[in-house]
Amino acid sequence: MRFKAELLNAEEMRRALHRIAHEIVEANKGVEGLALVGIHTRGIPLAERIARYIREFEGKEVPVGMLDITLYRDDLSEIGIRPQVRQTRIPFDITGKALVLVDDVLYTGRTARAALDALMDLGRPRRIYLAVLVDRGHRELPIRADFVGKNVPTAKNEVVKVKLEEVDGEDRVELWEKEGA
Amino acid sequence: MRHLLDFQGWTRGQVENILDTAKVMAEVLERPVKKVPALQGFTVATVFFEPSTRTRISFELAARRMSADVVSFTAQTSSLQKGESYKDTLLTLEAMGIDAYILRADSAGVPHQATRWVKGAVINGGDGRRAHPTQALLDAYTLLEALNTLEGKKIAIVGDILHSRVARSNVELLPLLGAEVWAAGPPTLLPQSLPGARLTPHLEEALEEADAVMVLRLQKERMEAGLIHLQDYIAHYQVTEKRLRKAKPHAFLLHPGPMNRDIELEGTLADSERSLVNRQVRNGLAVRMAVLYHLLVGREG
């Protein structure tokens, strides 16, 4: 793969997540009944950061859960790799809550669909928002994000790599191009 | 991994991978909706040439919890009664598009043979006295849940070691996770050797400082064959409160079921807080969900 561009540096990422945190509180008219659910892997630290920002400016704790959607995917035969199933841990009752699903990249929409199915099996939320750090387009399902850090029009042969301090040791979003594609 | 026949050639990493997935499945079973769509579109057949209650129901429920379609075959109500061979029975099912077969047979090697006849994944649900790998996996899972690790732990298996596929599979599996396995039973019910286990006719030696004791069911046919007298067995090999004092103070008890109370195990012990019997059954479902998932979705090639 060939490196093409840096889409977000650490400071830009911080600002984008900060803005998303404000937008979430505004949309929900406060933090009452609000909860965040991060999608494995990078959605989880992103959800935790957003919760931290909300705590900083609202002074209130917003619960955070983690969701693995592997058992709900409809594209396992296509991804061609041995899927790793991870723990789902949502330590609060989601029924009646306003949930914010958090993921790093929104692409085809299949992950978000699987996450919605998974959440519906866990309870009946009052409503579900979707927050993503990067929306790169190419949707295959009628799904859109409510909160977006950065919209990036991409080609299908490009790859968006989100690197996070908690997982990768640095905060940075990069655009790469698949060679020979 | 294409099939699950036994643990020959398995690595610790492969075992841990299945057990980690089982943990996720156990969480699914705690949810209000105890079902995931992971195996939607797959068809699983339980093919039991030998009777069974818990293994068959556990597998069927595991497949259904994963949204697979399930067909169930039992020898007693099939064309086997009209002389159809195992091979033709399986080929008939194969023609109906089965993705995974859970096979139980009274003779060893039938699941191995079946892998040559069918394209689907074959899971050994118990073959003769050879292997019962999902029972060993659920035992390992239950032991890990209770002891946190099997590294350096002493596990005693007690009873009819010679005829037990449960013992054989556990002796293959538990050392892979770092356990030291002892197998104790009457000399007539002990094999000459069993790689992976230390064999002893002295129950106390096996129980000494054991972290867990796995009690096997004493089968009536062994008594009828004259291999053991019931009263002798009870006198020397029944796991009792008193004998268990040799083991670690909170040593856990396992039993694959069905249990003969007050024969292989003192009845009160079966109901004590040391007993993991009900947890074994519960965990069996999660472990079998994990096995089906790995064989069907994680299949290579």
Side-chain angles (χ1 to χ4, degrees):
Chain A
M1 280 204 294
R2 189 175 66 84
F3 176 77
K4 280 191 85 174
E6 181 181 76
L7 299 176
L8 290 172
N9 62 27
E11 182 53 26
E12 288 164 337
M13 189 189 291
R14 192 192 63 78
R15 261 189 255 126
L17 292 173
H18 220 257
R19 177 172 47 77
I20 288 176
H22 277 288
E23 286 173 356
I24 289 170
V25 175
E26 200 177 332
N28 193 58
K29 298 182 175 64
V31 295
E32 192 58 38
L34 187 66
L36 305 177
V37 176
I39 301 175
H40 268 292
T41 301
R42 288 174 181 75
I44 294 166
L46 288 175
E48 281 164 352
R49 286 192 204 185
I50 292 169
R52 196 172 70 231
Y53 294 148
I54 292 175
R55 188 175 61 229
E56 280 169 16
F57 58 73
E58 287 290 306
K60 283 178 186 157
E61 206 69 49
V62 175
V64 178
M66 54 175 85
L67 184 69
D68 182 70
I69 50 95
T70 315
L71 297 173
Y72 290 82
R73 290 184 79 133
D74 64 353
D75 56 351
L76 283 172
S77 56
E78 283 165 38
I79 57 177
I81 50 162
R82 186 179 292 269
Q84 192 194 352
V85 193
R86 288 155 302 196
Q87 291 276 356
T88 288
R89 235 179 252 124
I90 301 191
F92 48 85
D93 184 2
I94 68 168
T95 299
K97 289 258 184 336
L99 294 183
V100 184
L101 259 178
V102 183
D103 206 359
D104 54 353
V105 179
L106 179 58
Y107 183 29
T108 60
R110 288 179 190 273
T111 300
R113 183 210 63 86
L116 291 173
D117 283 351
L119 286 177
M120 295 304 178
D121 279 356
L122 296 171
R124 194 177 184 283
R126 178 166 57 79
R127 74 160 293 168
I128 302 175
Y129 297 100
L130 177 61
V132 295
L133 183 61
V134 176
D135 183 346
R136 62 164 293 192
H138 302 288
R139 217 75 79 237
E140 292 170 6
L141 299 170
I143 281 172
R144 63 164 185 82
D146 300 281
F147 314 107
V148 180
K150 189 177 174 76
N151 281 293
V152 185
T154 58
K156 278 208 161 184
N157 66 343
E158 290 173 330
V159 175
V160 174
K161 281 190 185 178
V162 172
K163 293 182 175 174
L164 298 179
E165 191 70 46
E166 298 89 330
V167 185
D168 314 285
E170 62 172 333
D171 281 346
R172 186 175 150 91
V173 181
E174 299 166 342
L175 184 66
W176 291 69
E177 187 179 31
K178 286 182 196 163
E179 279 172 310
Chain B
M1 186 174 69
R2 265 188 56 104
H3 309 287
L4 174 56
L5 304 173
D6 50 40
F7 298 109
Q8 305 271 323
W10 274 56
T11 63
R12 183 178 186 145
Q14 284 174 307
V15 176
E16 285 172 344
N17 198 12
I18 298 255
L19 297 179
D20 284 347
T21 304
K23 252 187 239 171
V24 176
M25 300 307 181
E27 182 267 316
V28 168
L29 295 171
E30 300 278 311
R31 296 180 187 175
V33 179
K34 299 171 183 57
K35 194 163 179 156
V36 288
L39 296 187
Q40 208 160 33
F42 288 101
T43 306
V44 173
T46 55
V47 184
F48 279 58
F49 297 127
E50 186 193 74
S52 152
T53 308
R54 68 192 66 211
T55 304
R56 186 171 57 79
I57 290 176
S58 179
F59 264 114
E60 286 183 13
L61 202 52
R64 291 201 169 103
R65 294 280 192 238
M66 311 271 289
S67 302
D69 292 317
V70 182
V71 291
S72 188
F73 170 96
T74 47
Q76 294 78 6
T77 54
S78 73
S79 293
L80 278 181
Q81 303 301 323
K82 299 177 193 166
E84 189 174 66
S85 68
Y86 286 177
K87 182 178 176 179
D88 285 332
T89 301
L90 286 167
L91 290 177
T92 303
L93 288 166
E94 180 76 359
M96 294 184 194
I98 303 297
D99 299 294
Y101 300 82
I102 292 112
L103 281 186
R104 170 168 288 196
D106 53 7
S107 36
V110 172
H112 280 83
Q113 280 288 343
T115 62
R116 298 189 192 110
W117 303 328
V118 298
K119 289 197 192 81
V122 175
I123 299 168
N124 186 353
D127 64 329
R129 60 171 83 168
R130 226 192 59 79
H132 194 356
T134 57
Q135 176 69 43
L137 281 168
L138 76 88
D139 289 338
Y141 183 93
T142 307
L143 284 166
L144 281 170
E145 203 177 46
L147 298 167
N148 292 319
T149 175
L150 287 184
E151 201 60 61
K153 301 290 182 187
K154 181 179 177 183
I155 313 297
I157 306 179
V158 179
D160 180 357
I161 309 296
L162 182 65
H163 300 96
S164 173
R165 54 192 174 210
V166 174
R168 230 165 232 96
S169 280
N170 268 297
V171 167
E172 275 183 358
L173 179 66
L174 299 179
L176 275 178
L177 297 168
E180 180 194 339
V181 182
W182 284 67
T188 49
L189 298 178
L190 276 181
Q192 289 290 318
S193 71
L194 192 56
R198 298 184 61 167
L199 298 174
T200 176
H202 307 294
L203 178 61
E204 283 73 13
E205 195 183 5
L207 294 183
E208 183 89 43
E209 290 297 303
D211 294 278
V213 182
M214 195 178 287
V215 186
L216 302 174
R217 185 169 69 94
L218 192 67
Q219 294 178 38
K220 283 194 191 108
E221 55 265 37
R222 311 300 170 219
M223 292 178 247
E224 284 155 10
L227 288 170
I228 188 77
H229 289 100
L230 185 60
Q231 290 314 318
D232 281 353
Y233 187 89
I234 291 172
H236 296 104
Y237 293 98
Q238 185 186 72
V239 175
T240 62
E241 190 94 50
K242 192 173 161 212
R243 286 188 174 131
L244 208 53
R245 285 188 203 130
K246 286 264 176 202
K248 292 238 174 89
H250 296 287
F252 292 102
L253 279 166
L254 293 91
H255 193 299
M259 206 183 319
N260 297 308
R261 279 171 185 265
D262 293 316
I263 294 182
E264 61 259 10
L265 178 67
E266 210 167 44
T268 49
L269 279 176
D271 303 320
S272 72
E273 58 183 24
R274 312 168 78 152
S275 167
L276 300 178
V277 175
N278 290 331
R279 280 165 75 172
Q280 284 174 278
V281 177
R282 190 195 64 196
N283 292 338
L285 198 52
V287 163
R288 288 174 175 124
M289 286 166 76
V291 167
L292 283 168
Y293 184 74
H294 276 270
L295 288 181
L296 288 170
V297 178
R299 218 168 155 180
E300 289 163 325

